[in-house]
Amino acid sequence: MSFNVTPGKVSLNDLSQIYWESKSVTLSPGAKKNVEKTASFVKDTASADTPMYGINTGFGKLSGIRVPAEQTDLIQRNLILSHCCGVGDPLPEKIVFLVMVLKILSLGRGASGVRTKVIEQIESLLEKGVTPIIPSQGSVGASGDLAPLAHLTAVLIGEGQAIYKGQILSGAKVLKRIKRKPLVLKAKEGLAMINGTQVSTALALAGLFDGWRCSLNSLITGALSTDASMGSTDPFHPEIQNLRGHQGQIEVAKTLQILMNDSKIRESHLVEDIRIQDPYCIRCQPQVNGACIDLLRQAAKTLTIEANAVTDNPLIINAMGNKDSQMRIISGGNFHAEPVAFAADQIALALSEIGAISQRRIALLVDPKLNFGLPPFLVSNAGVNSGFMVAEITSAALMSENKHIANPCSTDSTPTSADQEDHVSMATHAARRLLTMNENLSQIIGIELITAAQGIDLRKEI
């Protein structure tokens, strides 16, 4: 079933559905009219005497070279072929799917000067389940995700490779299979395809969506660990949270209270436990996990804006003004992915901290000095059986790895393209590492789940 989208108005919930359900999308008819209007303007500009970057000139440091009108199509094709320089493992299919959707949203705003044929070619790949093979490495998140987006575009023109029905096929073969002709790129279309933050943004959104699920799961395991350790629920009292006022903290405390409502272990704790305060990994869950949730929401706001943004260069402005307004082509820097890099760094910090506090709860439960009466390493015949000793060590290894790779990427810039691109965002690998971090985090939470469940089972024997 196809999902009709209006560029500039796609919500985070829409993007989440597209990601989880792999819904193909089509552009709204009204948006297509704006697209054709600017494409016609670019066509006229390409044959004019005035040099226009990327339309009748070279690219980047070569922008001073004028391209004859009869070669404007050739330079767009050559641009794509020369930029297919990505390396590394292919991006996951769900990520590539989202990249294509985001490209439609960006081009569909009608400020990029491409024909609707370009968008329709992408729509066809989505509809038929064709996944262009996009290497995961090669972008610094500056003048757009140049290399990865070039590999996507290559399939549109019958080059590159794609996965179709489980087979790896050449771009030419896959287009033939789905009964599409290779696209002949016109003025600016190749540049519009590879300029943009769609790969960085898709990776960051995937990291956000997976991370959000992990954050919610960690509340369940946190409640179980609190119960298994006979921890107090007093720190989750709503008035404590309200006196501070952070929304995430308030919601986490409320969720933990609901999850632990009517706990028999908690009732026995009220009678027997002489402890006044629990360790921070139990007591400060609202403060830590709540802050992480607030951070994820902040990143979500940035990424929703970016998903709806026009991020190529140059742009056609006044395309949607009144009928008397004059269109102009202006060079800018919307392709710089700094907002995405910051959002990815924020997500990474949240994922790292969710895992860190989860791991400390695992460590608490296996430690007889801290777990309030549970056997060492949560096994009755300790010594003969090592119990959860190494499960806790594995969680520590995963936690440590996430801490290391959570260091900010947005502060690391290296000049490229003969210093034309002298400050870059590093958004692409800032977002790509989130895939690894979420995998590690899900394993930590899984270990906490079985550890807490074991602790609760052992309470029956004490």
Coordinates of all heavy atoms in Angstrom, one line a residue, residues 140-141 197 200-201 204 299 302-303 306 336-348 407-412 423-431 433-434:
V140 N 31.4 12.7 4.5 CA 31.7 13.5 5.7 C 30.6 14.4 6.1 O 30.7 15.3 7.0 CB 33.0 14.3 5.5 CG1 34.2 13.4 5.3 CG2 32.9 15.3 4.3
G141 N 29.4 14.3 5.4 CA 28.2 15.0 5.8 C 28.4 16.5 5.6 O 28.0 17.3 6.4
T197 N 21.2 15.7 2.7 CA 21.6 15.0 4.0 C 20.8 13.8 4.2 O 20.7 13.3 5.3 CB 21.4 16.0 5.2 OG1 19.9 16.3 5.3 CG2 22.1 17.3 5.0
S200 N 22.5 10.7 6.0 CA 22.8 11.0 7.4 C 21.5 11.0 8.2 O 21.4 10.5 9.3 CB 23.5 12.4 7.5 OG 24.7 12.4 6.8
T201 N 20.5 11.6 7.6 CA 19.2 11.8 8.3 C 18.5 10.4 8.5 O 17.9 10.2 9.5 CB 18.3 12.8 7.6 OG1 19.0 14.0 7.4 CG2 17.0 13.0 8.3
A204 N 20.2 8.6 11.2 CA 19.9 9.2 12.5 C 18.5 8.8 12.9 O 18.2 8.5 14.1 CB 20.1 10.7 12.5
A299 N 16.2 15.5 19.8 CA 16.8 15.1 18.6 C 15.7 14.8 17.6 O 15.9 15.1 16.4 CB 17.7 13.8 18.8
T302 N 14.6 17.9 15.8 CA 15.6 18.4 14.7 C 15.4 17.5 13.5 O 15.4 18.0 12.4 CB 17.0 18.3 15.3 OG1 17.1 19.2 16.4 CG2 18.0 18.6 14.2
L303 N 15.4 16.2 13.7 CA 15.3 15.3 12.5 C 14.0 15.3 11.8 O 14.0 15.1 10.5 CB 15.6 13.8 13.0 CG 17.0 13.6 13.6 CD1 17.1 12.2 14.2 CD2 18.1 13.9 12.6
E306 N 14.5 18.2 9.5 CA 15.5 17.9 8.5 C 14.9 16.9 7.4 O 15.2 17.1 6.2 CB 16.7 17.2 9.1 CG 17.9 17.1 8.1 CD 18.6 18.4 7.8 OE1 18.2 19.4 8.4 OE2 19.4 18.4 6.9
H336 N 25.0 21.2 4.3 CA 25.8 21.0 5.5 C 25.0 20.3 6.6 O 24.0 20.9 7.0 CB 26.4 22.3 6.0 CG 27.6 22.1 6.8 ND1 27.6 21.5 8.1 CD2 28.9 22.4 6.6 CE1 28.8 21.5 8.6 NE2 29.6 22.0 7.7
A337 N 25.4 19.2 7.1 CA 24.6 18.3 7.9 C 24.8 18.6 9.4 O 24.6 17.7 10.3 CB 24.7 16.9 7.6
E338 N 25.2 19.8 9.8 CA 25.5 20.1 11.2 C 24.4 19.8 12.1 O 24.5 19.2 13.2 CB 26.0 21.5 11.4 CG 26.6 21.8 12.7 CD 28.1 21.4 12.8 OE1 28.6 20.7 11.9 OE2 28.8 21.8 13.7
P339 N 23.1 20.2 11.8 CA 22.0 19.8 12.7 C 21.8 18.3 12.9 O 21.5 17.9 14.0 CB 20.8 20.4 12.0 CG 21.3 21.5 11.1 CD 22.7 21.0 10.6
V340 N 22.1 17.5 11.8 CA 21.9 16.1 12.0 C 23.1 15.5 12.8 O 22.9 14.6 13.6 CB 22.0 15.4 10.6 CG1 21.8 13.9 10.7 CG2 20.9 16.0 9.7
A341 N 24.3 16.1 12.7 CA 25.4 15.6 13.5 C 25.2 15.8 14.9 O 25.4 15.0 15.8 CB 26.7 16.3 13.0
F342 N 24.6 17.0 15.3 CA 24.3 17.3 16.7 C 23.3 16.4 17.2 O 23.3 15.9 18.3 CB 23.9 18.8 16.8 CG 25.0 19.8 16.8 CD1 24.8 21.0 16.2 CD2 26.2 19.5 17.4 CE1 25.8 22.0 16.2 CE2 27.2 20.5 17.4 CZ 27.0 21.7 16.8
A343 N 22.2 16.1 16.4 CA 21.1 15.2 16.8 C 21.7 13.8 17.0 O 21.3 13.2 18.0 CB 20.0 15.2 15.8
A344 N 22.5 13.4 16.1 CA 23.1 12.0 16.3 C 24.0 11.9 17.5 O 23.9 10.9 18.2 CB 23.9 11.7 15.0
D345 N 24.7 13.0 17.8 CA 25.5 13.0 19.0 C 24.6 12.9 20.3 O 25.0 12.3 21.3 CB 26.4 14.2 19.1 CG 27.7 14.1 18.2 OD1 28.0 13.0 17.8 OD2 28.3 15.1 18.0
Q346 N 23.5 13.7 20.2 CA 22.6 13.6 21.4 C 22.0 12.2 21.6 O 21.9 11.7 22.7 CB 21.5 14.6 21.1 CG 21.9 16.1 21.2 CD 20.7 17.0 20.9 OE1 20.0 16.8 19.9 NE2 20.5 18.0 21.7
I347 N 21.6 11.6 20.5 CA 21.1 10.2 20.6 C 22.1 9.3 21.1 O 21.8 8.4 22.0 CB 20.6 9.8 19.2 CG1 19.4 10.6 18.7 CG2 20.2 8.3 19.2 CD1 19.1 10.4 17.2
A348 N 23.4 9.4 20.7 CA 24.4 8.6 21.1 C 24.7 8.7 22.6 O 24.8 7.7 23.3 CB 25.7 8.9 20.4
N407 N 31.5 9.3 22.0 CA 32.2 10.6 21.9 C 31.7 11.4 20.7 O 31.4 10.8 19.7 CB 33.7 10.3 21.8 CG 34.3 9.9 23.1 OD1 33.9 10.4 24.2 ND2 35.3 9.0 23.1
P408 N 31.6 12.7 20.9 CA 31.0 13.5 19.8 C 31.7 13.4 18.5 O 33.0 13.4 18.5 CB 31.0 14.9 20.4 CG 32.0 14.9 21.4 CD 32.0 13.5 22.0
C409 N 31.0 13.3 17.4 CA 31.5 13.4 16.1 C 31.5 14.8 15.5 O 32.2 15.1 14.6 CB 30.8 12.4 15.2 SG 30.9 10.6 15.7
S410 N 30.5 15.5 15.9 CA 30.2 16.8 15.3 C 31.4 17.8 15.6 O 31.5 18.8 14.9 CB 29.0 17.4 15.9 OG 29.0 17.5 17.3
T411 N 32.3 17.5 16.5 CA 33.4 18.4 16.8 C 34.6 18.1 15.9 O 35.6 18.7 16.0 CB 33.8 18.4 18.3 OG1 34.0 17.0 18.6 CG2 32.7 18.9 19.2
D412 N 34.5 17.0 15.1 CA 35.6 16.6 14.3 C 35.4 17.0 12.9 O 34.6 16.4 12.2 CB 35.8 15.1 14.4 CG 36.9 14.5 13.6 OD1 37.8 15.3 13.3 OD2 36.8 13.4 13.2
H423 N 35.0 23.0 6.2 CA 34.4 22.6 7.5 C 33.3 21.6 7.2 O 32.3 22.0 6.5 CB 33.9 23.8 8.2 CG 33.3 23.4 9.6 ND1 32.1 23.0 9.8 CD2 33.9 23.5 10.8 CE1 31.9 22.7 11.0 NE2 33.0 23.0 11.7
V424 N 33.4 20.4 7.8 CA 32.4 19.4 7.5 C 31.8 18.9 8.8 O 32.3 19.1 9.9 CB 33.0 18.2 6.7 CG1 33.6 18.7 5.4 CG2 34.1 17.5 7.5
S425 N 30.6 18.2 8.7 CA 29.9 17.9 9.9 C 30.2 16.5 10.5 O 29.9 16.3 11.7 CB 28.4 18.0 9.6 OG 28.0 16.9 8.8
M426 N 30.6 15.6 9.7 CA 30.8 14.2 10.1 C 29.5 13.6 10.5 O 29.5 12.6 11.3 CB 31.9 14.1 11.2 CG 33.2 14.5 10.8 SD 33.9 13.6 9.4 CE 35.5 14.3 9.1
A427 N 28.4 14.1 10.0 CA 27.1 13.6 10.4 C 26.8 12.1 10.0 O 26.1 11.4 10.7 CB 26.0 14.4 9.8
T428 N 27.4 11.7 8.9 CA 27.1 10.4 8.4 C 27.6 9.3 9.3 O 26.8 8.4 9.7 CB 27.6 10.2 7.0 OG1 27.5 11.4 6.3 CG2 26.9 9.0 6.3
H429 N 28.8 9.4 9.7 CA 29.3 8.3 10.7 C 28.8 8.6 12.1 O 28.8 7.7 12.9 CB 30.8 8.0 10.5 CG 31.7 9.0 11.0 ND1 32.4 9.9 10.2 CD2 32.1 9.4 12.3 CE1 33.1 10.7 10.9 NE2 33.0 10.4 12.2
A430 N 28.5 9.8 12.4 CA 27.9 10.1 13.7 C 26.6 9.4 13.8 O 26.2 8.8 14.9 CB 27.6 11.6 13.8
A431 N 25.8 9.3 12.7 CA 24.5 8.6 12.7 C 24.7 7.1 12.5 O 24.0 6.3 13.1 CB 23.6 9.2 11.6
R433 N 27.0 5.1 13.6 CA 27.4 4.3 14.8 C 26.2 4.0 15.7 O 26.3 3.1 16.5 CB 28.4 5.2 15.6 CG 27.7 6.4 16.1 CD 28.5 7.2 17.0 NE 27.9 8.6 17.0 CZ 28.2 9.5 17.8 NH1 29.1 9.3 18.7 NH2 27.6 10.7 17.8
L434 N 25.1 4.7 15.5 CA 23.9 4.5 16.3 C 23.4 3.1 16.0 O 22.8 2.5 16.9 CB 22.8 5.5 16.0 CG 23.2 7.0 16.3 CD1 22.1 7.9 15.9 CD2 23.6 7.2 17.7

